[in-house]
Amino acid sequence: MLAGVLEAKQIKTDAAALAKWGKDWTNGYTVAPSAIVFPESNQQVIEIVRYAIDRGLPLVPSGGRTGLSGGAVASSGELVVSFDRMNHILDFSPQDRRVTCQAGVLTNTLQQFALDQQLYYPVDFASSGSSQIGGNVATNAGGIRVIRYGLTRDWVVGLRAVTGRATMLNCNAGLIKNATGYDFRHLLVGSEGTLGLITEVDLRLTTPPPAQKVMIVGIPEVKNLLNVLQVFSRATKVSAFEFFSDLALEKVCAHRKLTPPLRHSVAYYALIEFDDSDTEVAFDAFEQALSGGWAVDAVMSQSEAQAQSLWALREGISESIAQYTPYKNDVSVCIHQVPEFLEEVDGFVQANYPDFEVCWYGHIGDGNLHLNILRPQGMDVAEFMAKGHAMSPKIFAMVAARQGSISAEHGVGLLKQEFLGYSRSDEEIDLMRGLKALFDPHQILNPGKLLKATTA
Ligand code: 2HG
Ligand code: ZN
């Protein structure tokens, strides 16, 4: 039946295609989709959902597949719906400063389009060359400039999605103000493909920022990261406040053959980005951090190229440690709790797993820490993963004690669904299941992701 709706080139069933489109960047799951389809229009997506309902066939929506929580993994004969062929910018309104994209538009294509209009799409991350807008919306992607510009959610002024009832939902249509009750747009944002297949998104654009400067500051003690954040936030318009540990720096320098930014290594580094016009006051802020004993050294970009090479030290970390098949976690607490949380986790790992190394980095200005534990050399991947899994409840209990989130930006997917209760109450999970049943009565939209399939 699908052959009547789609052309042959829009359906792939060969082994290479199943392996490629059947997974995202998460490792460790079986990859076994039955086929991959590449719709080109909203109508075709509706037909695909109808086909799936008729056969009770689960669908897995697939964007740029850069996710790290298994949200786009197809493990048991699902039909993968790739948005690779729905990759057009459909409309632009200069008066509204709004662009309409199909779900498969790449993040950096949108960013470039905005610049071409003398405008700016500020949500940015290392995977901007591969990630797609639909996936960004489905996971409410964050990234490196949330401290100044917010999350993907803050830029979505409308979207179209096909629900599990094979109906097209047109949410908000680009309005800034709309006080007519429940805003389904915000339910779809971050729903991880469980409520609807997002096909089109209306996004707000803004004025491009002035030229930016990047400073890397060496900070010997974790508690002083927040003092440095405070003096820089007071003095400058901070666009990013990122951090990484010396171990993370060591790994990225080795992998990418980069030079460390400071003469001597320090326990932690903050990467701070701010408006060029704030350069003088940034120096003053650094002097203050120095005399307070919070910072020891710093380097500042003198050109756009230097700014980019300083950014590479932070943005290259994730790929540099992939070879260690790390036990990965992406958590958040309130900013003031970051140092004591980090120290508690470090203490726990040292006491219980002395041969494990914790590689810390993340978006500290948002309270978001990427906790990666590197697999010791010689330890079998399966054994290491089992140990990581056993460690999760302990770490999540530390998150829950602070009312933090077990997934700050990567989503729940398959990876964290059994731990959702550490961040969301029974009442909330119950309401989530109710919404899922309403939007997806046949349980065909990414079943088993976010919420467990059996009880959904
Ligand atoms: C980053 O901030 C990404 O670099 C990836 O969110 C984080 O791999 C990770 O743990
Ligand atoms: Zn991140």
Side-chain angles (χ1 to χ4, degrees), residues 68 126 242 314-315 318 328-329 361 363 370 372 409-410:
L68 292 164
E242 300 279 310
R314 163 64 185 88
E315 294 209 287
S318 183
K328 296 179 90 64
N329 253 315
Y361 57 102
H363 319 281
H370 294 311
N372 283 257
E409 62 174 3
H410 296 169

Side-chain angles (χ1 to χ4, degrees), residues 149-393:
Y149 295 105
L151 298 142
T152 300
R153 177 187 304 287
D154 301 303
W155 299 89
V156 176
V157 285
L159 57 81
R160 262 70 62 210
V162 180
T163 68
R165 301 143 73 119
T167 49
M168 194 74 195
L169 211 53
N170 185 3
C171 306
N172 198 58
L175 298 173
I176 308 245
K177 291 184 148 183
N178 181 359
T180 54
Y182 309 139
D183 193 335
F184 294 126
R185 158 187 52 156
H186 286 301
L187 277 181
L188 269 295
V189 176
S191 62
E192 301 189 20
T194 63
L195 300 182
L197 302 183
I198 296 165
T199 61
E200 293 173 9
V201 187
D202 308 312
L203 294 151
R204 207 158 57 79
L205 302 176
T206 188
T207 308
Q212 299 289 295
K213 273 267 156 70
V214 175
M215 197 186 254
I216 290 190
V217 181
I219 301 172
E221 285 185 68
V222 66
K223 64 173 194 276
N224 290 328
L225 279 162
L226 296 192
N227 293 327
V228 176
L229 171 62
Q230 230 173 318
V231 287
F232 273 85
S233 301
R234 273 200 204 123
T236 70
K237 226 169 181 187
V238 175
S239 303
F241 193 99
E242 300 279 310
F243 97 115
F244 44 93
S245 65
D246 197 42
L247 179 65
L249 177 68
E250 189 192 302
K251 299 299 175 195
V252 73
C253 287
H255 182 74
R256 287 214 181 169
K257 305 200 173 28
L258 302 173
T259 317
L262 307 181
R263 264 159 307 164
H264 302 289
S265 58
V266 189
Y268 300 98
Y269 304 84
L271 183 154
I272 311 162
E273 188 183 69
F274 47 84
D275 290 357
D276 189 29
S277 52
D278 284 341
T279 303
E280 287 295 310
V281 284
F283 271 126
D284 295 345
F286 174 64
E287 287 294 331
Q288 222 178 308
L290 211 53
S291 55
W294 309 325
V296 289
D297 196 3
V299 60
M300 185 155 75
S301 61
Q302 299 304 324
S303 64
E304 175 55 31
Q306 268 181 19
Q308 283 189 9
S309 35
L310 293 179
W311 263 117
L313 296 169
R314 163 64 185 88
E315 294 209 287
I317 299 171
S318 183
E319 77 174 45
S320 306
I321 59 173
Q323 57 186 305
Y324 298 92
T325 43
Y327 162 74
K328 296 179 90 64
N329 253 315
D330 161 46
V331 298
S332 70
V333 292
C334 287
I335 297 169
H336 74 274
Q337 297 168 317
V338 165
E340 34 121 353
F341 172 77
L342 187 151
E343 280 174 337
E344 190 180 346
V345 173
D346 265 349
F348 164 76
V349 175
Q350 273 158 26
N352 295 282
Y353 304 88
D355 52 339
F356 285 8
E357 286 185 302
V358 185
C359 182
W360 288 105
Y361 57 102
H363 319 281
I364 209 164
D366 316 325
N368 175 191
L369 299 170
H370 294 311
L371 157 63
N372 283 257
I373 298 181
L374 308 185
R375 180 170 53 90
Q377 248 188 350
M379 186 179 284
D380 177 65
V381 175
E383 181 192 345
F384 178 65
M385 286 300 163
K387 287 194 169 165
H389 199 76
M391 198 187 298
S392 290

